C-alpha cells in the first residue's frame, strides 16, 4: 500500500517541484526586467548626489551594451557546460554588480559597476527561457505564457512606481540593493530544487567568435544610442562605428563556418521557422519599446496626464497583452496549433499602430486607450509564441543558443526602434515647433524635443499649444513608421510552417515522449 501511495503521488511531487522552479525563474525574470525601469526613476537623485551629469547616459548605455554583448555567450555556455551552473553564475554576477552599483561613490564607478551588472543580466532572461525549454515540452509550454507575460506587464507598470517609492523613502542606493534579497531567494530555490544533467564539452570556447560578435553588437548598440543625439547620423564617429560593426559581423559569420564549437551555430538558421521567428522577434522589440517610450510622452504632453503614473498609462496595452498571451498559450497547449497567432498578432499590431498614428491634440484618453489595447492584443499573440516556435525548431543541444539568439534579436530590435522612431519623432517635433512656435518655440526644443511637465507649465499658452501639436505630429510619424515596419512581421508570419510541437500528439511512442521534468523535491 505504501508503494502504491508513493507511485500515485510522484506526479504531484514533480508538478509541485516544477512550480517551485518556475517561481524562482519568474523572480529572476522580474530582476532582469525591473532593473532599468527602477534605476531610470532614480536617475535625477543619483545625478544630484554623485554629479557627472554629462556622463548620465552611460549609466544606462553601459548596462545595455554589456547585456546585449553577453546574451549569446551565456546561451552557448549553458549548452556546453550545463544550464544550472551557468544560470546561477549569471545571477551571482548580476547581484555582485547590483551591490557594487549601490556602493558607488562617483559616476565613473557607477558606470563600471553597471557594466558588471549588465554582464550578469545578459544570462538572466536567456537562462529562464532555456531552462523552461529543458523542463517543459513545447506543447505544454503555452500554459506558462501568461505567467511570463504577467511578469513583463507587472515590471513595466510597477517599475517606475517602485523606483519612485524606493528612492523617496530609502534612497537611490536601494534601487540596486533591492535586487539582493530577491536574487538570494531565487538562487536558494534553484540550488535546492532544480537538477539538470551536468555537461562538460570537450571543445574549447570560441573566443575569436565571441570577440567578433561582441565588437559587432557593441558597435550596433552605440550607433543606435548615439546616432542623432550625441553625434549626427552622418558624423565620422557614427560612420566609423557602422564600418567596424559591419566588418566584425561579416568576420563573425565567416568564422562561425570554421569554428569547432561556434558561439552561434549557423545551422539553426537553416530552419525556416527559426529564421522567421528571429525576424518577428526583432520587429516586436522594435514596436514594443518604441510604443512604451512615446505613448506616456504623448499622454503627458498632449493629454495632461501625470508623469508619476506613467506606468499606469500603459495599462490598456499591457492588460490586453497579458490576456491575449494567456489565451494564446492555453489554445496552443490544448490544440498544438500556433500558426494563426503570428499572423493575427501581426495584423493587429499593424492596425493598432496605424490607429495610434491618427491621434492628435483632440484625441480622448478613452480613444487612445482603445488603440493601445489593439496593439497589446497583437503583441500578446507574438511575445511568447516567437520563443516557443524558435525553441521548437532546434535540437535540445542548441536550446541555449536558440533562446539567446531570439532574445538578442528582440533586444537589437528595441535598440533600433527607440533610435529610429526617436530620431523621426525629434526631427518632426523640432520642425513643427519652428513653424508654429516661432523663434521662442524653436529655442524650447533646440536642446531636446522633450519638455518636462514642470517645463511645460512655464511655457506661454501659444508656445505650449504649439508644443502639444508638435508632439502629436511627432507621435504620428513615429507610429506610422512602426506600422510600416510591422508589415514585415506580417509577411514573415505568412511563411511560418506549422510544425507539430514536440511532446504533443495523442499517440506518442516511448522514443518521442517528452522527458519527465528534471527536478527533485
Amino acid at each position: 500500500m505504501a508503494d502504491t501511495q508513493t507511485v500515485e503521488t510522484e506526479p504531484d511531487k514533480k508538478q509541485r517541484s516544477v512550480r517551485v522552479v518556475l517561481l524562482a525563474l519568474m523572480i529572476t525574470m522580474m530582476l532582469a526586467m525591473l532593473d532599468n525601469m527602477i534605476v531610470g526613476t532614480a536617475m535625477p537623485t543619483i545625478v544630484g548626489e554623485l554629479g557627472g551629469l554629462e556622463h548620465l547616459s552611460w549609466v544606462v548605455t553601459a548596462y545595455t551594451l554589456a547585456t546585449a554583448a553577453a546574451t549569446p555567450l551565456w546561451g552557448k555556455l549553458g549548452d556546453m557546460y550545463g544550464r544550472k551552473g551557468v544560470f546561477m553564475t549569471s545571477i551571482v554576477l548580476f547581484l555582485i554588480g547590483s551591490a557594487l552599483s549601490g556602493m558607488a561613490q562617483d559616476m565613473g564607478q557607477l558606470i563600471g559597476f553597471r557594466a558588471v551588472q549588465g554582464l550578469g543580466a545578459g544570462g538572466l532572461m536567456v537562462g529562464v527561457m532555456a531552462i523552461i525549454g529543458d523542463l517543459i515540452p513545447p506543447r505544454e509550454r503555452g500554459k506558462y505564457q501568461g505567467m511570463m507575460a504577467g511578469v513583463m506587464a507587472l515590471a513595466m507598470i510597477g517599475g517606475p512606481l517602485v523606483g519612485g517609492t524606493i528612492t523617496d523613502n530609502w534612497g537611490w542606493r536601494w534601487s540596486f540593493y533591492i535586487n539582493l534579497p530577491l536574487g538570494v531567494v531565487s538562487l536558494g530555490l534553484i540550488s535546492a530544487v532544480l537538477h539538470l544533467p551536468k555537461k562538460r564539452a570537450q571543445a574549447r570556447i570560441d573566443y575569436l567568435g565571441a570577440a567578433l560578435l561582441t565588437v559587432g553588437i557593441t558597435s550596433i548598440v552605440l550607433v543606435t544610442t548615439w546616432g542623432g543625439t550625441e553625434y549626427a547620423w552622418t558624423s565620422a564617429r557614427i560612420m566609423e562605428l557602422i564600418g567596424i560593426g559591419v566588418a566584425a559581423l561579416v568576420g563573425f559569420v565567416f568564422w562561425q563556418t570554421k569554428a569547432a564549437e561556434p558561439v552561434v551555430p549557423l545551422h539553426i538558421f537553416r530552419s525556416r521557422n527559426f529564421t522567421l521567428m528571429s525576424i518577428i522577434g526583432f520587429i516586436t522589440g522594435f514596436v514594443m519599446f518604441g510604443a512604451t517610450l512615446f505613448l506616456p510622452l504623448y499622454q503627458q504632453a498632449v493629454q495632461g496626464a501625470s508623469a508619476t503614473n506613467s506606468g499606469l498609462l500603459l495599462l490598456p496595452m499591457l492588460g490586453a497583452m497579458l490576456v491575449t498571451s494567456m489565451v494564446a498559450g492555453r489554445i496552443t497547449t490544448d490544440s498544438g496549433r500556433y500558426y494563426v497567432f503570428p499572423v493575427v498578432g501581426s495584423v493587429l499590431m499593424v492596425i493598432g499602430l496605424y490607429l495610434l498614428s491618427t491621434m492628435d491634440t483632440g484625441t480622448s484618453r478613452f480613444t487612445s486607450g482603445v488603440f493601445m489595447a489593439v496593439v497589446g492584443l497583437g503583441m500578446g499573440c507574438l511575445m511568447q509564441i516567437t520563443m516557443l516556435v524558435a525553441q521548437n525548431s532546434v535540437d535540445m543541444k542548441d536550446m541555449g543558443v536558440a533562446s539567446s539568439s531570439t532574445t538578442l534579436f528582440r533586444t537589437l530590435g528595441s535598440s533600433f526602434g527607440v533610435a529610429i522612431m526617436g530620431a523621426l519623432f525629434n526631427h518632426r517635433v523640432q520642425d513643427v515647433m519652428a513653424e508654429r512656435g516661432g523663434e521662442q518655440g524653436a529655442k524650447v526644443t533646440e536642446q531636446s524635443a522633450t519638455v518636462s511637465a514642470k517645463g511645460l507649465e512655464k511655457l506661454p499658452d501659444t508656445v505650449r499649444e504649439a508644443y502639444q501639436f508638435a508632439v502629436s505630429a511627432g507621435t504620428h510619424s513615429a507610429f506610422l513608421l512602426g506600422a510600416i515596419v510591422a508589415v514585415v512581421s506580417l509577411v514573415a508570419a505568412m511563411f511560418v510552417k506549422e510544425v507539430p510541437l514536440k511532446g504533443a500528439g495523442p499517440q506518442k511512442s516511448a522514443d518521442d515522449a517528452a522527458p519527465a521534468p528534471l527536478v527533485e523535491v
Side-chain angles (χ1 to χ4, degrees):
M1 182 65 69
D3 291 341
T4 303
Q5 184 68 23
T6 301
V7 172
E8 288 176 350
T9 60
E10 191 66 24
D12 293 334
K13 287 184 177 181
K14 288 183 176 179
Q15 190 63 34
R16 189 165 60 251
S17 299
V18 170
R19 285 198 291 266
V20 173
V21 171
L22 285 173
L23 173 62
L25 295 180
M26 292 305 106
I27 292 174
T28 309
M29 188 175 173
M30 179 74 77
L31 287 175
M33 300 207 66
L34 269 179
D35 187 80
N36 259 337
M37 296 183 178
I38 291 178
V39 173
T41 309
M43 277 300 176
T45 308
I46 293 173
V47 172
E49 183 173 325
L50 299 183
L53 179 62
E54 67 277 13
H55 303 304
L56 175 64
S57 63
W58 272 104
V59 176
V60 175
T61 302
Y63 180 89
T64 305
L65 277 176
T67 301
T71 293
L73 304 183
W74 285 114
K76 184 62 180 179
L77 289 172
D79 286 341
M80 292 177 68
Y81 299 110
R83 206 85 62 209
K84 179 179 176 179
V86 170
F87 183 52
M88 292 180 70
T89 301
S90 70
I91 296 175
V92 170
L93 188 59
F94 178 82
L95 296 181
I96 290 172
S98 298
L100 291 174
S101 296
M103 294 186 286
Q105 299 301 309
D106 57 51
M107 194 61 80
Q109 288 183 12
L110 181 59
I111 291 169
F113 296 150
R114 284 283 283 167
V116 173
Q117 192 183 16
L119 288 174
L124 300 186
M125 192 69 75
V126 172
V128 169
M129 296 301 178
I131 290 173
I132 288 176
D134 277 349
L135 290 180
I136 304 166
R139 177 69 176 262
E140 300 299 317
R141 217 171 291 157
K143 290 191 295 188
Y144 302 98
Q145 283 182 205
M147 189 187 300
M148 290 183 277
V151 169
M152 188 176 297
L154 185 62
M156 289 186 173
I157 295 171
L161 298 175
V162 172
T165 302
I166 289 174
T167 304
D168 290 343
N169 294 284
W170 299 349
W172 68 265
R173 296 183 186 277
W174 274 96
S175 62
F176 297 105
Y177 292 152
I178 194 66
N179 293 328
L180 301 181
L182 292 174
V184 168
V185 170
S186 179
L187 278 173
L189 291 175
I190 290 169
S191 176
V193 180
L194 180 63
H195 296 272
L196 295 172
K198 294 182 179 179
K199 302 177 184 177
R200 182 67 191 179
Q202 298 301 315
R204 295 180 59 191
I205 296 173
D206 179 16
Y207 292 107
L208 178 57
L212 288 170
L213 184 60
T214 299
V215 171
I217 292 173
T218 300
S219 300
I220 289 172
V221 174
L222 284 177
V223 166
T224 56
T225 303
W226 285 348
T229 54
E230 299 286 328
Y231 302 95
W233 285 103
T234 55
S235 67
R237 179 59 56 84
I238 296 298
M239 292 297 106
E240 288 170 1
L241 285 171
I242 291 174
I244 292 170
V246 170
L249 292 178
V250 169
F252 170 76
V253 171
F254 173 77
W255 178 248
Q256 294 306 279
T257 64
K258 309 291 184 184
E261 191 65 53
V263 175
V264 180
L266 299 183
H267 67 78
I268 62 177
F269 291 97
R270 292 176 192 157
S271 166
R272 182 171 76 184
N273 276 4
F274 182 83
T275 302
L276 292 173
M277 288 304 118
S278 298
I279 294 170
I280 294 173
F282 180 93
I283 301 300
T284 305
F286 188 106
V287 168
M288 182 174 181
F289 285 88
T292 54
L293 176 66
F294 295 111
L295 281 171
L297 195 144
Y298 167 84
Q299 291 182 306
Q300 291 168 35
V302 179
Q303 296 181 328
S306 168
T308 307
N309 299 320
S310 57
L312 296 176
L313 299 176
L314 299 173
L315 196 55
M317 182 176 75
L318 297 174
M321 184 180 77
L322 173 60
V323 172
T324 314
S325 185
M326 293 174 67
V327 172
R330 176 56 64 181
I331 293 174
T332 301
T333 296
D334 291 344
S335 68
R337 308 186 72 85
Y338 54 81
Y339 174 81
V340 66
F341 295 114
V343 175
V344 171
S346 298
V347 169
L348 288 171
M349 199 159 62
V350 172
I351 294 173
L353 287 165
Y354 174 74
L355 291 174
L356 288 176
S357 75
T358 64
M359 295 189 304
D360 55 27
T361 54
T363 303
S364 68
R365 290 192 191 182
F366 175 79
T367 302
S368 61
V370 171
F371 294 167
M372 281 191 283
V374 176
V375 176
L377 291 173
M379 289 195 296
C381 291
L382 295 172
M383 287 301 294
Q384 304 304 331
I385 287 289
T386 52
M387 181 65 74
L388 173 65
V389 178
Q391 290 179 336
N392 191 60
S393 303
V394 301
D395 296 331
M396 287 294 290
K397 66 183 179 64
D398 293 321
M399 187 66 68
V401 292
S403 302
S404 64
S405 298
T406 307
T407 303
L408 177 62
F409 276 106
R410 189 177 296 174
T411 301
L412 293 178
S414 68
S415 294
F416 276 92
V418 170
I420 297 173
M421 292 173 76
L424 189 62
F425 173 84
N426 292 342
H427 181 72
R428 185 72 179 130
V429 168
Q430 289 168 342
D431 282 353
V432 172
M433 283 297 284
E435 291 172 9
R436 299 177 70 97
E439 185 176 343
Q440 188 176 3
K443 286 182 179 179
V444 169
T445 56
E446 188 175 13
Q447 298 298 323
S448 172
T450 58
V451 178
S452 66
K454 290 182 180 179
L456 195 61
E457 293 174 1
K458 297 177 182 177
L459 295 177
D461 290 344
T462 54
V463 178
R464 187 188 308 115
E465 289 173 5
Y467 180 71
Q468 290 172 335
F469 186 87
V471 168
S472 66
T475 52
H476 164 77
S477 299
F479 287 125
L480 191 59
L481 172 66
I484 294 170
V485 171
V487 172
V488 177
S489 175
L490 176 58
V491 173
M494 298 290 288
F495 289 95
V496 171
K497 183 180 179 182
E498 193 165 63
V499 179
L501 294 175
K502 296 168 186 174
Q507 296 175 340
K508 293 182 287 187
S509 66
D511 293 334
D512 294 333
L518 299 168
V519 290
E520 297 174 8
V521 178

